[in-house]
Amino acid sequence: MNSIEPEPPQRWSPARITAIWVLFMFAVSRLVLLALTFYSRRIVERGPLVILSGQTAHGGTLLDVMTQWDGVWYRSIAQHGYFPPSHELAPAFFPGYPMLIRAVAFVVRDSDIASLLVSNGCLIAAAFLLVRLLRLDYDENVCRRVVTFLMFNPVSFFLSAAYSESTFLLLSIGALLAVREGKWLVAGLCGTYLSATRPPGLLIGAPLLAEYVIGWRERGLKARNFFRPHFLSLFLIPLGLVAYLFYMQAARGDFFLPMHAQSAWKKTLTSPWQTFFWPGYFPSSHIPLYQAVVGAAVVLVGAGFFFRVRVSYLVYAVASILFYLAWGTLEAVPRYVSILFPIHLVLALISVRWKWTYEPLLAFSIALLALCTVLFANAYQMF
């Protein structure tokens, strides 16, 4: 009698291969960024904002470039808090990210290095959590492509620089993953720290509420059973912001000091279409580039409805883009939308459905990344 021999176990599981893919994409994309920065600074003339950027702090090294612009503010807050010698406008920058820098700097004894360790550590962790989140609905191929598009997005350097973007990305994905796994308290705590990291952190409440409604409908509960105990976790989200405002009241005597400090950037409540087509307080030379990046993000979010992306993810993306476009200027909007993972998910879904689009989409993204990196590295307005 012939017996069927069992197949030998696979040496590498799909999950393990994807984990290696995440680390590989991180390494390759960061090497590309470093190469672009290093060589462009040898052939490109410095921009008009070289002093203002703070990239000459220690002679214009690579470390200076990766900790310039907002990084100067965050490192100052990590070192001195919101008191002199920190600038009087420092309260405009929320404490979530500087607190992590301070904690890591306690070990490495250097706030510059600590800021980059935090950013890159959060980026790697966010990529792993993103794969874990997407694996609930998609196969490994889609998950890997999402990570690839994230790592090579046009302003990906912000994810490794001394900015709060990676921290924000990690916490937002962590909140959504926690909710999908039924860990509502964890999601609420992630939301708490999000709102202490940047004001848009409050927006995570929109997708979490959407997930709550989805769960309520899937269970077929009646209207009188809408409010369940875990609904209270949503009220944890604004506590980070509230705690920061109370701290400002106690330490500086002004509850709304962070909002007053924001006025220095001349942001005023404006309709999103006016911001997109007629942005104020913004150099005309950069408007087409920023409009291209933001416009592509808007189109991709719209395509998400066609691909039936999970409702909560689309709610998060739409609410965020509307918020970012509501302040009269395109300043920083590309880096804000770059951490909206549903955008990269839609790109991955497009490239999987129409396989011939993968290379052109990735090549175009890398080309924009090269342009934006050169501008950022050489003190042209890119923040």
Side-chain angles (χ1 to χ4, degrees), residues 4 7 9 11 23 50 68 73 98 107 124 133 160 170 172 174 181 191 225 241 295 309 323 340 346 356 359 371 374:
I4 300 176
E7 294 183 3
R11 184 177 180 182
L23 295 176
V50 64
Q68 64 176 325
W73 294 91
V107 178
I124 294 172
L133 174 65
S160 287
L170 172 62
S172 59
E181 294 180 343
N225 301 121
L241 171 61
V309 171
F323 179 87
L340 298 177
V346 173
W356 63 269
E359 287 79 9
L371 172 61
V374 171

Side-chain angles (χ1 to χ4, degrees), residues 190-260:
C190 286
T192 299
Y193 207 86
L194 263 174
S195 68
T197 301
R198 283 216 320 259
L202 293 171
L203 297 176
I204 198 65
L208 296 191
L209 178 59
E211 284 292 339
Y212 183 87
V213 174
I214 291 171
W216 171 70
R217 293 190 62 181
E218 288 177 346
R219 291 183 180 89
L221 299 176
K222 296 181 180 180
R224 65 173 179 271
N225 301 121
F226 180 79
F227 293 102
R228 312 283 288 180
H230 54 267
F231 182 81
L232 297 176
S233 299
L234 297 177
F235 292 94
L236 294 174
I237 296 173
L239 292 185
L241 171 61
V242 171
Y244 179 46
L245 296 179
F246 271 108
Y247 169 78
M248 281 295 153
Q249 175 62 39
R252 302 288 298 274
D254 188 348
F255 188 79
F256 294 107
L257 184 58
M259 289 68 175
H260 298 156

Side-chain angles (χ1 to χ4, degrees), residues 175-192:
L176 284 165
L177 176 61
V179 163
R180 294 291 306 274
E181 294 180 343
K183 302 173 183 176
W184 282 87
L185 179 59
V186 174
L189 293 175
C190 286
T192 299

Side-chain angles (χ1 to χ4, degrees), residues 51 72 147 202 289 325 336 371:
I51 302 300
V72 177
V147 170
L202 293 171
L289 173 61
L325 289 177
Y336 293 158
L371 172 61

Side-chain angles (χ1 to χ4, degrees), residues 23 83 92 106 117 120 126 131 139 144 147 150 156 162 171 204 247 262 275 326 365 368-370:
L23 295 176
F83 299 93
F106 180 79
L117 288 175
N120 286 279
V131 169
D139 60 25
R144 293 175 200 171
V147 170
L150 171 66
S156 177
L171 291 168
I204 198 65
Y247 169 78
Q262 283 283 354
T275 299
S365 184
L368 280 180
L369 173 61

